[in-house]
Amino acid sequence: MNWFKQTLANVAGTQEPEYGPAAIQSVATQAQKKPWSEVAKTDLKWKAMESTCVETQVFYLISDTGTIAMAQLIYSNVGGIHTTCQFNSKIYDHKGPSNHLWCSDPLQNFGFDEDQVSLFADNCAVTLNDDATQYTIKSAVNEECIVNLTFTRTSPGFQAGENGTSYFGTDPANPWGSMRHLFWPRCKVEGSMITKEKEYDLKGKGCFIHALQGMKPHHAAAKWNFLTFQGPTYSAIMMEYTTPQSYATTNVNVGGIAQDAEIVCAGTLSPATHTATSQDAENDWPEPKAIKFDWKGTTKDGEEVSAEIAGSLGERLDRVDVLSHVPGLIKTLVGGVVGTKPYIYQV
């Protein structure tokens, strides 16, 4: 009966039965033997699965003048029937505090290069160079925001364990879903975003994340925490998700710390903590007001490392209605099943 319910959930997007903790093989198991592995060019290939998936590349930056911005590709496949690709860009406080510029556009005639590491579409290209150290992001798909950026990694990329992937399914040898993250935690950023009002020189620092949800997104994760820190010498990154009750509300947290051109430590981490929250009056979600995020690991020389980011979050930058930022078919699928709107609180 569980097999039937799971098959129905895969096809129709309905809620899954409760499989228990044995139905997720967390990347933390890999990390017990090998905390992290360096990202190679082959790891940066788009999987472009022929079954249901959401695959993203996202580039976050903060310029030397304080501008915060992002660019993102979303490749999605619903049931192996309909495939879409979307390009998103965002400039925070574009027209003053909390008045952001958000552009989200479907891409036409998209495809990949022979190595499957670069994506091309009409008026848009995100390309990886030959030695896999730099991405170039160019988009003229929306005249409200013309994007021309380069992200050059200054430290190695990493993924937790052997391949950065957690697997879902009651038969570990034949998983029915997956979740994967890999990171360039510290990048040099150059280039610009040009809007109708001004041109932004975005020279500064940033990070890059390639993620794959190899199943329906609301089946894989019920809630998330994400942090990126970019300082003069150090960068830190953390990506945490908690599965729905179907997979025993399992916490998976991966991240790492880079110093200049080296990874200090990386792997799986302890759960992030919201040390203070308040109920959002508009949607009744518990909005985080203070946090405590911890990193613990060992250097390549075996020295123990620990770091902490904690304190009040202050005023939020934005509250993002997730379903307004994803392709239409995924929006219909997720919104109709979960019953409540998912939000992201950005600070």
Side-chain angles (χ1 to χ4, degrees):
M1 181 60 71
N2 268 358
W3 174 87
F4 172 77
K5 290 180 179 178
Q6 197 274 326
T7 302
L8 177 64
N10 279 348
V11 174
T14 55
Q15 184 176 350
E16 294 185 292
E18 292 186 24
Y19 305 112
I24 176 172
Q25 295 81 54
S26 169
V27 70
T29 302
Q30 298 179 30
Q32 290 175 0
K33 297 180 179 179
K34 185 176 185 178
W36 64 279
S37 53
E38 188 169 335
V39 170
K41 186 175 183 178
T42 53
D43 296 317
L44 296 167
K45 288 185 176 182
W46 286 87
K47 300 297 184 183
M49 294 172 58
E50 295 183 1
S51 56
T52 297
C53 69
V54 179
E55 189 168 8
T56 67
Q57 288 188 341
V58 58
F59 303 84
Y60 294 101
L61 69 89
I62 180 167
S63 76
D64 292 342
T65 57
T67 300
I68 301 173
M70 61 158 283
Q72 180 185 39
L73 279 172
I74 303 177
Y75 175 97
S76 60
N77 186 326
V78 178
I81 299 170
H82 187 71
T83 302
T84 63
C85 196
Q86 194 117 347
F87 184 81
N88 299 332
S89 62
K90 186 170 187 176
I91 302 172
Y92 292 84
D93 297 338
H94 172 57
K95 293 184 178 179
S98 300
N99 196 340
H100 317 302
L101 177 64
W102 166 256
C103 297
S104 182
D105 299 279
L107 298 180
Q108 305 299 322
N109 300 313
F110 56 88
F112 303 97
D113 68 339
E114 186 176 350
D115 291 336
Q116 202 82 358
V117 295
S118 300
L119 185 144
F120 301 90
D122 291 349
N123 299 313
C124 184
V126 177
T127 57
L128 181 68
N129 67 354
D130 289 340
D131 61 359
T133 59
Q134 183 183 88
Y135 275 100
T136 300
I137 307 105
K138 293 186 177 183
S139 173
V141 72
N142 191 323
E143 63 180 13
E144 295 289 334
C145 186
I146 307 299
V147 178
N148 185 3
L149 297 169
T150 61
F151 275 65
T152 305
R153 63 174 178 85
T154 56
S155 73
F158 75 87
Q159 54 197 347
E162 290 284 351
N163 61 13
T165 306
S166 296
Y167 296 96
F168 295 74
T170 51
D171 179 2
N174 297 285
W176 60 55
S178 64
M179 180 83 83
R180 175 178 185 253
H181 291 94
L182 59 83
F183 308 91
W184 286 3
R186 189 169 178 84
C187 298
K188 179 181 72 173
V189 181
E190 295 179 302
S192 66
M193 288 183 174
I194 302 174
T195 72
K196 290 185 175 181
E197 291 77 19
K198 65 180 293 186
E199 177 175 349
Y200 289 87
D201 179 358
L202 295 177
K203 180 182 178 183
K205 300 179 180 66
C207 68
F208 160 73
I209 304 161
H210 190 138
L212 171 66
Q213 298 181 57
M215 58 199 298
K216 290 181 172 62
H218 58 291
H219 287 175
K223 57 183 179 180
W224 295 83
N225 281 297
F226 169 67
L227 179 146
T228 176
F229 168 83
Q230 300 295 330
T233 303
Y234 286 93
S235 296
I237 198 163
M238 180 184 290
M239 181 73 74
E240 177 194 74
Y241 63 93
T242 304
T243 70
Q245 195 169 347
S246 308
Y247 300 96
T249 319
T250 300
N251 179 274
V252 181
N253 191 351
V254 297
I257 299 170
Q259 180 185 17
D260 295 326
E262 294 186 353
I263 299 295
V264 177
C265 67
T268 52
L269 306 170
S270 300
T273 304
H274 296 176
T275 55
T277 62
S278 66
Q279 292 302 114
D280 188 329
E282 293 191 25
N283 56 44
D284 207 34
W285 285 107
E287 179 179 356
K289 293 296 184 180
I291 54 97
K292 181 175 178 288
F293 289 11
D294 294 300
W295 290 259
K296 292 183 180 180
T298 56
T299 68
K300 62 183 180 182
D301 299 322
E303 296 181 9
E304 292 188 358
V305 175
S306 65
E308 176 183 289
I309 293 179
S312 172
L313 295 174
E315 291 295 320
R316 69 172 182 241
L317 279 175
D318 202 4
R319 179 185 57 210
V320 179
D321 178 352
V322 175
L323 296 184
S324 70
H325 288 195
V326 298
L329 273 178
I330 292 181
K331 183 186 306 183
T332 302
L333 175 68
V334 176
V337 173
V338 301
T340 57
K341 285 187 175 183
Y343 285 88
I344 298 172
Y345 294 95
Q346 296 179 330
V347 293

